[in-house]
Amino acid sequence: MTLETILETAMGAAVATPALAFLALGVLWLLDRAPGERATARIVTSALAVSLASSVVVAVEFARRGGVALPVDLGEWFHVSGYRFELTTLLDGLTVTMMLLVSFITLLTGHFSVRYLHRERGFFRFFALLSVFTSAMMLLVTAGSFDLLFAGWELVGLTSILLVGFFHERAGPTRAAVRVMVTYRLCDVGLLLGAAMLHHHTHTSLFAELRTSPAVLHLGPFYSSLVGMSFLLAAAGKSALFPMGGWLPRAMEGPTASSALFYASLSVHAGVYLLLRAEPLIEHAPLARLAMVGVGVVTAVHATMVARTQTDAKSRLAYAAMTQVGVMVIEVAFGFTRLATLHLATHALLRGYQMILAPSSLHTALARQTMYGTDPLPGYDPVGDRLSPATERVWYRLAVDRFHLDVVFDQWVARMFLRVGHLLDGFELVSVRAVARSLGGSAVDTTPPSPPTPPEPPTHAPQEAR
Amino acid sequence: MLTLLVLLPALGSLALLARSDERFTRRIATAFVLPSFALSMWVAQRIHGDTGAVQFEEVYPLVFGVRWRLGVDGLSALFLPTANTVALALLLGSPRASLDRRNVAALLGTLAASLGILCSLDLALLGVFWVLRLIPGRWVIPHTETAAARGWFARTWSIFLWGGSMPLLPVIAAAGWVGMQAHAAHPFDYHEAVARGLPDAWQLPLFLLAMLAIFMRLAIAPFHAWLPLLLEHGPYATGTFIVTVQVPLYLFARVAVPLFPHAQAAGQPVIIAFAVWSAFYGAMLAVAQRGLRRSLGFIAVSHSGFALMGMASLNAEAVHGAILQSVASGVALAGLLVLMRGLLARTGTTRVDELGGVAAQAPRMTVAFVIFAVSALGFPGSMTFVSEDLLFHGVLALHPLVATALLVTTAINAIALLRGVLRTFFGRPGRVTRDIPVDDLGRRERFAILLLAALVIVGGLRPQPLLDVPAGYVRTLLEGHGAATEGTHDDAHHEPHDAHDPDPADHAAR
């Protein structure tokens, strides 16, 4: 067996095995033979274990090759004259790191969820979605082009939305899922636009060619910045960067296992991964780098201040994750890609661990208090101590209100957007009725114009920290 | 073969009309549609996609030089099984109450006329089928709340019928007149008409008439108002079929582009502007709706805009994308409409604010809804992902602004549909679902849904066979159009009758 064959098989297995588990579960469910908890968990965790083992094989082969980057061509998805959608993966240090990270964390979370979600009504659904998420995330990190990355990116988003709405019998998770979906879809336009602009101007969207293709090197700062900023928009959606991050605390409505997986460990870092992949291009894009630094700084400062005013563990962890992601974006903007990768990996592990512990945080705090007799960490506020009480009150108030970002989004984006839709709808109905009258009849009793939908009540904190 | 394929549903329709008994309606209809479906699959599988030439040709003389000339190329070969699949899914998956004998007969009549349009190689025959396609639906306009409202909807249908049909008739008549002046034995023959062309002075007015018919039938804004009304108040099965099987797009590719190459080239920016506006307008209105059916109607308007945008762009990626988009979006929307009818039959409403929490009672219906919703929106793994990817790359080559508009519109469509789905199926039960138990999908419904879902997903994972079928057709269309428009640039005094491709055999491939 040649090296290429081993690599292709292992990479294919790492991506496809969880998807096969999902397929098996889906077929059984359709045949009214949905397996019980134990069988479901075994099917999925076995697939996740195979994915991890395959990732290890890939890592070992990569190390044996001396760590040389290697594009692995898995054929093509489809082609028409003049256009080809290639299934190209790229094997380099970043891919290997991410493959190990993704497969390890998903297996661990899957194992944790077996007991955590025991006798939960959505047990089967959670594990089915976990399988899809793992495959999608593996596809995202093994993709060798922006086109293929987008496929994984979208599926990660879809599973994320469905898991936010996991407790679908309550209104809060559904509203939160709608908010996450709206943000994702709007920001995903950036990824497609960036990839298409790159393809249009350079005739490639392969990561491996970003450093070597003369067309990319001669793209010029304007187009490079345009592409880079499009990718930044996409990253802002997925990684909850300023000003798009309002969905992240709402996403905590999902079960803790999925919060740990998506919004502490993996999905929230997908934006940083995208920027890391685009870094060779961003290197020549001064405007995009400037924008990244700005967005990163504002995200980190905003999130760290808001985090300190949160009253529940999961929201606090979500904002803490946002802070670190903001810092990672700054690191990428300055070209510190290795540092950003290390930061990403360690942060994903730590934050995922903290999130999984969140439901028992009260228990842990009480145990510590019993052990030390008091809070083990005395309060330390070097910035607050230097502010006047009035100033501190203002900042505190702003932080509690999350700097009114949600209000701005609801009032000025969502409501305005809906208002335009309602205006057009009103115009539509008036014109239909006018035609009806001109024909001498009365209009059919169509749906009356909907009144402007009131903004959905904010779900500042999860109702139940599961 | 093709004659049988077209006539089987027509015979089925007549057989149902001849009966006075409502029993076995579905079985009789399925017995006629199933062989037609099998034949269309056979044709699609056996066709040589690498050539744009017409295959499986059948010719029988009729009157006044008009011939029963049927044939298929890569374009029609893909649309034939789509039409049959949608009809079959409607027959199998619809609630019993929606499929009485008259409605099923109308559906089969509409199917037969659609298959006739897709196979016709004689312009007069095509015109007859074009008009016939809307007549069966007129018989079965359902009773709405008041007689006045019913009268209004009947008038809307008539406007749509005549507005979308009459403008095409002068075009066909003109092509026939030119043929008669040239003493052609078969003045309405499609390929001979394309080879002859039309006089320069007639090109613009006739092109405008043809486009009016196509815009109206394709529901391109501002000629779209009938479509949401049809889904909300029109006959269910026939309405769903008309909305999801985009025969008008076929007519655009078959008639407007080859017969009017110069006018098409000159009018391309205007057509694309209409398509972009339609896509955006449909998406914005879809967001504003509280009724799922009406919202889906506007999403269908938006998707029509996508398909027209791609076809009018006239480059390989965009045309392939438009063809696949019309198939993929049609199948996904058909799945959603079948499910929506099931929901309506169970709850009596499809208004989002009256539903909610359906997932707890009907998980299979929820999963099916999500699958079709994401398939209609171009998520990876669905056929629409492939079609939108191709469309996007195609229109990007045309103009980056058009491509950006397409992207923004797909995002708005996704927000509209997924928001509706999440609010309908998740969350607390609404006013209606609080009191009424919602049964999950039955076995027959599941089968129909699986048929459509399999097509969308398998087509998404392995799209190449679907792209190979029309490959030769697309190549020939673009070469023919390129040669024709080049002729205009080369020769300011272009002679309409001079065939750019003097070998008549080659015109068979157009």
Side-chain angles (χ1 to χ4, degrees):
Chain A
M1 201 180 242
T2 63
L3 173 68
E4 271 70 23
T5 317
I6 293 171
L7 278 175
E8 280 174 19
T9 311
M11 286 186 91
V15 176
T17 318
L20 290 176
F22 169 75
L23 201 65
L25 291 178
V27 169
L28 288 170
W29 182 73
L30 279 174
L31 297 172
D32 284 332
R33 298 278 184 277
E37 281 194 7
R38 187 172 292 182
T40 304
R42 274 193 189 158
I43 292 171
V44 175
T45 49
S46 305
L48 298 181
V50 171
S51 185
L52 176 60
S54 307
S55 303
V56 171
V57 170
V58 171
V60 170
E61 284 298 332
F62 178 69
R64 275 179 50 188
R65 285 177 53 89
V68 180
L70 173 75
V72 182
D73 191 6
L74 301 177
E76 64 175 25
W77 190 350
F78 58 88
H79 70 267
V80 298
S81 65
Y83 177 70
R84 192 175 289 274
F85 195 119
E86 287 175 26
L87 295 175
T88 304
T89 58
L90 175 65
L91 186 62
D92 62 3
L94 182 58
T95 300
V96 170
T97 309
M98 292 302 289
M99 281 180 80
L100 289 171
L101 195 70
V102 170
S103 52
F104 177 68
I105 292 178
T106 47
L107 177 61
L108 222 57
T109 313
H111 190 67
F112 167 80
S113 308
V114 175
R115 282 179 181 77
Y116 186 76
L117 292 173
H118 177 52
R119 297 179 75 84
E120 185 66 60
R121 276 179 68 189
F123 187 96
F124 181 84
R125 186 159 34 102
F126 176 85
F127 275 88
L129 289 173
L130 177 65
S131 315
V132 180
F133 168 74
T134 310
S135 273
M137 198 69 207
M138 290 300 269
L139 181 63
L140 195 156
V141 300
T142 53
S145 67
F146 289 107
D147 294 340
L148 194 56
L149 182 144
F150 178 73
W153 183 276
E154 285 288 283
L155 287 172
V156 165
L158 181 64
T159 46
S160 168
I161 293 161
L162 293 174
L163 279 170
V164 170
F166 183 78
F167 298 112
H168 55 73
E169 57 284 348
R170 289 196 275 115
T174 307
R175 279 202 298 269
V178 170
R179 177 64 182 268
V180 175
M181 182 268 296
V182 170
T183 313
Y184 275 2
R185 284 306 293 190
L186 287 179
C187 294
D188 289 353
V189 170
L191 177 50
L192 267 179
L193 200 61
M197 276 195 289
L198 190 66
H199 204 276
H200 185 62
H201 290 292
T202 66
H203 303 291
T204 183
S205 60
L206 296 175
F207 301 146
E209 292 183 6
L210 287 186
R211 282 202 193 280
T212 55
S213 163
V216 178
L217 297 173
H218 295 107
L219 190 57
F222 176 73
Y223 281 113
S224 299
S225 290
L226 215 55
V227 174
M229 288 209 272
S230 298
F231 288 150
L232 179 61
L233 173 67
K238 204 64 117 203
S239 291
L241 300 174
F242 182 88
M244 300 296 182
W247 63 266
L248 189 63
R250 287 178 166 83
M252 297 300 136
E253 292 277 11
T256 295
S258 74
S259 302
L261 198 58
F262 283 79
Y263 315 115
S265 297
L266 298 177
S267 173
V268 78
H269 292 108
V272 180
Y273 177 79
L274 172 69
L275 295 175
L276 278 169
R277 279 296 173 211
E279 197 275 334
L281 182 86
I282 291 168
E283 208 176 286
H284 309 289
L287 278 176
R289 290 174 69 181
L290 196 66
M292 281 167 64
V293 172
V295 167
V297 167
V298 177
T299 303
V301 173
H302 161 261
T304 196
M305 289 178 74
V306 176
R308 277 155 176 73
T309 61
Q310 297 306 300
T311 51
D312 71 286
K314 284 176 74 175
S315 295
R316 190 167 186 147
L317 285 173
Y319 276 104
M322 264 167 88
T323 309
Q324 295 303 317
V325 168
V327 175
M328 286 174 216
V329 171
I330 300 168
E331 289 163 3
V332 179
F334 282 113
F336 303 138
T337 50
R338 286 187 178 208
L339 176 66
T341 308
L342 186 69
H343 192 169
L344 188 160
T346 49
H347 178 252
L349 289 166
L350 172 71
R351 203 63 75 192
Y353 172 71
Q354 286 179 329
M355 189 67 88
I356 277 178
L357 285 186
S360 55
S361 54
L362 281 177
H363 179 78
T364 312
L366 282 173
R368 282 190 181 175
Q369 273 185 2
T370 312
M371 191 185 294
Y372 295 110
T374 179
D375 196 332
L377 294 173
Y380 175 62
D381 188 5
V383 179
D385 291 346
R386 287 175 174 79
L387 295 176
S388 70
T391 316
E392 196 176 352
R393 266 201 301 279
V394 169
W395 283 108
Y396 180 77
R397 183 66 195 269
L398 282 172
V400 166
D401 289 335
R402 296 171 178 177
F403 290 82
H404 301 289
L405 272 186
D406 289 342
V407 179
V408 169
F409 183 86
D410 288 338
Q411 295 288 331
W412 294 99
V413 182
R415 184 173 277 196
M416 293 298 280
F417 181 72
L418 282 174
R419 191 162 287 171
V420 173
H422 289 303
L423 272 174
L424 289 174
D425 195 30
F427 168 75
E428 171 88 10
L429 288 168
V430 167
S431 55
V432 166
R433 283 178 183 151
V435 174
R437 269 197 296 275
S438 69
L439 289 167
S442 63
V444 72
D445 187 19
T446 53
T447 313
S450 318
T453 314
E456 286 153 359
T459 49
H460 289 302
Q463 300 294 314
E464 293 165 25
R466 282 236 41 178
Chain B
M1 177 76 67
L2 294 180
T3 303
L4 194 63
L5 192 149
V6 173
L7 289 184
L8 269 170
L11 291 173
S13 177
L14 293 174
L16 286 172
L17 287 177
R19 282 169 60 87
S20 56
D21 193 348
E22 288 288 338
R23 285 182 306 161
F24 308 120
T25 297
R26 198 193 301 261
R27 287 185 193 175
I28 292 168
T30 310
F32 281 95
V33 174
L34 212 53
S36 179
F37 171 76
L39 281 175
S40 61
M41 291 297 283
W42 187 81
V43 166
Q45 201 257 328
R46 294 294 298 269
I47 197 155
H48 297 290
D50 49 356
T51 166
V54 168
Q55 294 160 60
F56 304 103
E57 197 173 334
E58 291 170 17
V59 187
Y60 304 104
L62 296 173
V63 287
F64 306 123
V66 178
R67 293 185 299 169
W68 178 269
R69 184 177 172 224
L70 303 182
V72 289
D73 56 15
L75 181 65
S76 40
L78 202 57
F79 280 95
L80 290 174
T82 310
N84 271 313
T85 307
V86 170
L88 204 55
L90 281 168
L91 280 176
L92 295 176
S94 303
R96 201 177 301 272
S98 307
L99 288 184
D100 58 40
R101 190 173 48 84
R102 291 181 71 227
N103 268 297
V104 176
L107 171 67
L108 264 58
T110 313
L111 171 65
S114 305
L115 296 175
I117 295 171
L118 295 172
C119 296
S120 290
L121 293 175
D122 187 283
L123 288 174
L125 192 63
L126 188 142
V128 171
F129 281 128
W130 181 254
V131 177
L132 276 179
R133 187 170 187 250
L134 284 187
I135 288 179
R138 177 69 182 79
W139 299 335
V140 287
I141 289 176
H143 289 275
T144 47
E145 293 87 359
T146 61
R150 186 173 190 275
W152 155 241
F153 187 74
R155 270 192 291 275
T156 306
W157 185 280
S158 301
I159 294 171
F160 165 50
L161 169 64
W162 297 117
S165 304
M166 293 308 286
L168 192 67
L169 300 183
V171 178
I172 293 172
W177 172 258
V178 173
M180 284 175 195
Q181 294 301 303
H183 305 293
H186 309 294
F188 291 100
D189 185 274
Y190 169 72
H191 289 112
E192 288 179 18
V194 170
R196 277 192 303 269
L198 291 166
D200 272 350
W202 297 7
Q203 284 254 341
L204 184 63
L206 290 176
F207 176 69
L208 290 177
L209 285 172
M211 288 315 296
L212 179 64
I214 290 165
F215 274 22
M216 196 163 256
R217 289 279 185 102
L218 207 50
I220 295 297
F223 306 101
H224 67 284
W226 61 269
L227 196 151
L229 273 179
L230 176 65
L231 288 187
E232 213 175 6
H233 298 284
Y236 154 67
T238 314
T240 302
F241 184 83
I242 286 173
V243 168
T244 56
V245 179
Q246 293 203 343
V247 170
L249 187 78
Y250 172 84
L251 194 81
F252 178 74
R254 178 67 79 206
V255 175
V257 178
L259 264 185
F260 307 101
H262 316 103
Q264 206 286 330
Q268 189 192 45
V270 180
I271 297 171
I272 288 180
F274 268 105
V276 170
W277 169 245
S278 191
F280 179 74
Y281 184 79
M284 285 303 291
L285 262 82
V287 173
Q289 304 305 316
R290 286 194 292 182
L292 274 179
R293 275 185 294 170
R294 195 167 162 76
S295 180
L296 210 58
F298 283 111
I299 287 175
V301 169
S302 187
H303 281 195
S304 291
F306 289 170
L308 181 65
M309 203 187 297
M311 197 56 96
S313 297
L314 285 177
N315 63 54
E317 292 108 307
V319 173
H320 270 291
I323 294 170
L324 198 62
Q325 170 75 13
S326 59
V327 172
S329 146
V331 174
L333 289 179
L336 284 171
L337 286 165
V338 168
L339 287 167
M340 219 173 273
R341 196 65 183 189
L343 188 63
L344 182 70
R346 286 161 170 85
T347 61
T349 183
T350 51
R351 285 177 68 89
V352 173
D353 48 1
E354 294 178 341
L355 295 166
V358 176
Q361 300 186 64
R364 285 190 173 78
M365 184 186 271
T366 309
V367 169
F369 230 99
V370 170
I371 288 174
F372 282 116
V374 299
S375 302
L377 300 172
F379 271 79
S382 69
M383 214 194 292
T384 336
F385 176 79
V386 180
S387 64
E388 285 184 4
D389 187 67
L390 287 170
L391 255 178
F392 181 64
H393 279 91
V395 296
L396 184 71
L398 196 73
H399 202 287
L401 273 182
V402 179
T404 310
L406 176 75
L407 277 185
V408 173
T409 306
T410 54
I412 301 172
N413 272 335
I415 289 169
L417 189 52
L418 288 179
R419 185 166 164 260
V421 170
L422 286 170
R423 292 168 71 185
T424 303
F425 288 91
F426 297 155
R428 291 206 189 101
R431 188 179 64 76
V432 172
T433 41
R434 203 179 301 133
D435 306 322
I436 299 175
V438 183
D439 294 334
D440 209 347
L441 293 179
R443 192 161 290 183
R444 190 171 36 74
E445 286 172 311
R446 248 185 275 176
F447 182 76
I449 292 302
L450 263 180
L451 177 74
L452 294 175
L455 183 59
V456 172
I457 294 170
V458 173
L461 294 175
R462 281 190 53 78
Q464 199 54 50
L466 296 173
L467 293 170
D468 286 341
V469 169
Y473 163 79
V474 174
R475 197 174 51 248
T476 315
L477 175 84
L478 297 182
E479 283 169 5
H481 186 263
T485 46
E486 224 170 71
T488 312
H489 300 310
D490 292 347
D491 183 3
H493 304 288
H494 165 69
E495 288 296 324
H497 299 291
D498 99 11
H500 303 294
D501 194 345
D503 182 358
D506 283 355
H507 289 293
R510 280 196 200 172

